[in-house]
Amino acid sequence: HVRDADLAGRGDDPDPDAERAKWAALTPLRRLGVAEDIARAALYLASDDSDWVTGTCMVVDGGQLAG
C-alpha cells in the first residue's frame, strides 16, 4: 500500500494514524510506501541502468508478494 490521503478513514476505524499503522504492520518492510518509492522505480526503468532489462514486471510493493 502506498500512503495517500484516501487511506484515512477507510474501514471502521476513524483514526487515520491507526489505519496507517494497521496497513504498515501487514507489509514486510513495516511501513507504507510513498510516492517516491514508485518514482524511484520509474526513474530506474527510464535510465540507462535498465537498458538490459526487458520483458519483466517490476513489483514495487514493500515485499508483500515475497511476504
Side-chain angles (χ1 to χ4, degrees), residues 6-19:
D6 290 337
L7 189 61
R10 287 190 183 164
D12 296 331
D13 192 344
D15 180 359
D17 291 329
E19 192 73 8

Side-chain angles (χ1 to χ4, degrees), residues 44-60:
Y44 166 72
L45 291 172
S47 75
D48 289 340
D49 291 334
S50 70
D51 65 354
W52 198 245
V53 177
T54 62
T56 189
C57 294
M58 178 181 285
V59 179
V60 183

Side-chain angles (χ1 to χ4, degrees), residues 2-4 8-9 18 21 24 26 33 36 39 41 43 52 58-59 66:
V2 175
R3 181 180 176 155
D4 66 4
L26 296 172
E36 288 80 6
L43 285 172
W52 198 245
M58 178 181 285
V59 179

Side-chain angles (χ1 to χ4, degrees), residues 1-8 10 15-21 23-24 27 30-38 60-61 64:
H1 289 84
V2 175
R3 181 180 176 155
D4 66 4
D6 290 337
L7 189 61
R10 287 190 183 164
D15 180 359
D17 291 329
E19 192 73 8
R20 288 184 186 104
W23 284 105
T27 304
R30 301 293 184 245
R31 70 173 181 85
L32 294 177
V34 293
E36 288 80 6
D37 295 320
I38 307 302
V60 183
D61 70 354
Q64 285 188 320

